Amino acid sequence: MHPLFISIGNIPGHIRMAATSHTWQCIAFMPIPKFEAPKGCQSVLQNCVWHKCIKIVTAGLQYLACTGGFILDPHGHQHLCFTPLAAWTADLPEQLMIACVSKSASPVVTHQTGLVQ
């Protein structure tokens, strides 16, 4: 199992990254499935499971990003908040998997420029 953590962006980075600040919350444990399939299909099937799990885990955030919800601030006041997922921190292999591109492609630019069809 691989833990999935979440934090909020309005905490300054130097505080959020300190291990003792407890600013990260584990929201799920992602499965690491094994399939009885050809070796080339293993990673594709694992990535499909990963994307489905992320969709399930973030369903509440996706709903609040569209409709908003009332959340209490530290002073007890209610605010209508929207919760878009603004950033994802990952290493290159995870970025490639999230972007659904191969190892020989860029996770940022997934199309070739300058080609005339």
Side-chain angles (χ1 to χ4, degrees):
M1 300 299 248
H2 180 75
L4 179 65
F5 291 94
I6 193 168
S7 184
I8 56 176
N10 63 351
I11 300 172
H14 69 281
I15 295 171
R16 187 173 54 244
M17 296 311 290
T20 58
S21 65
H22 304 290
T23 58
W24 293 90
Q25 178 69 42
C26 182
I27 59 170
F29 287 96
M30 303 299 285
I32 304 172
K34 302 290 183 204
F35 296 95
E36 292 182 11
K39 188 175 182 178
C41 296
Q42 288 285 331
S43 63
V44 173
L45 293 171
Q46 289 173 345
N47 292 348
C48 287
V49 169
W50 185 89
H51 279 92
K52 182 65 175 176
C53 290
I54 289 294
K55 187 173 184 174
I56 291 168
V57 169
T58 60
L61 290 174
Q62 293 173 28
Y63 178 77
L64 286 177
C66 295
T67 62
F70 287 98
I71 299 174
L72 292 175
D73 68 9
H75 303 289
H77 301 113
Q78 282 191 345
H79 299 276
L80 179 60
C81 296
F82 296 84
T83 58
L85 181 60
W88 189 285
T89 304
D91 58 3
L92 182 59
E94 190 175 27
Q95 289 176 9
L96 293 172
M97 188 258 310
I98 291 168
C100 299
V101 296
S102 68
K103 293 178 183 175
S104 60
S106 168
V108 177
V109 181
T110 58
H111 66 279
Q112 295 180 349
T113 57
L115 296 178
V116 178
Q117 296 185 2

